[in-house]
Amino acid sequence: MVTGEIQIRVRYAETDRMGLLHHANYLVYFEQARTELLRDTGVSYKDLEDKGFFLVVAKVEIKYRSPAHYDDVLTVRTTVVRTSPVRLEHQYQVFREGGTLVCEALTTLACVDRAGKLQAMPDFLVQTK
């Protein structure tokens, strides 16, 4: 399994009136974590898209465990847990400093062409089991 970690500091603009990280911003963090995980393999999303491969989010599941606050430093751990010829599944764990689990999530990405039609992923992505 391919796993990576990034750290993100919660910015003021990402919080609600209570100073908590707004639930929608977790999706942005997951995308950033996936992008960096792919980059760690030597390929960027831009490289994939330039070759006509687009990875679109088909499914998201999030379990919020503990709130994140303005200025918290979060660690997002991302793991590729399943691949198929046209899909890629990532698991996420978000921790606050000190190891508190903030949330867990799962995303399924589908590989499509420029017209939005399902297509087979490049071989190196399918082999990241």
Side-chain angles (χ1 to χ4, degrees), residues 4-107:
E5 289 186 356
I6 64 168
Q7 289 192 319
I8 300 172
R9 183 177 299 274
V10 177
R11 296 173 292 201
Y12 186 80
E14 297 168 330
T15 62
D16 59 21
R17 282 184 67 172
M18 297 181 294
L20 304 177
L21 178 62
H22 189 273
H23 66 275
N25 287 311
Y26 287 89
L27 296 173
V28 176
Y29 290 1
F30 299 155
E31 183 171 18
Q32 184 176 349
R34 283 193 309 271
T35 299
E36 294 306 321
L37 185 62
L38 183 60
R39 190 182 319 278
D40 288 346
T41 68
V43 179
S44 72
Y45 265 116
K46 183 179 181 332
D47 294 337
L48 284 178
E49 292 173 348
D50 287 349
K51 293 176 181 172
F53 297 99
F54 298 86
L55 299 176
V56 297
V57 176
K59 181 179 177 181
V60 176
E61 295 178 31
I62 303 174
K63 294 179 184 176
Y64 300 99
R65 303 292 188 187
S66 178
H69 301 84
Y70 166 64
D71 210 37
D72 280 350
V73 175
L74 305 178
T75 298
V76 182
R77 181 178 302 142
T78 308
T79 304
V80 176
V81 291
R82 186 177 308 152
T83 64
S84 79
V86 296
R87 288 187 174 75
L88 193 57
E89 193 170 285
H90 293 86
Q91 178 183 37
Y92 311 86
Q93 294 175 307
V94 179
F95 298 94
R96 187 173 37 251
E97 287 177 308
T100 301
L101 181 63
V102 173
C103 82
E104 300 172 283
L106 203 61
T107 59

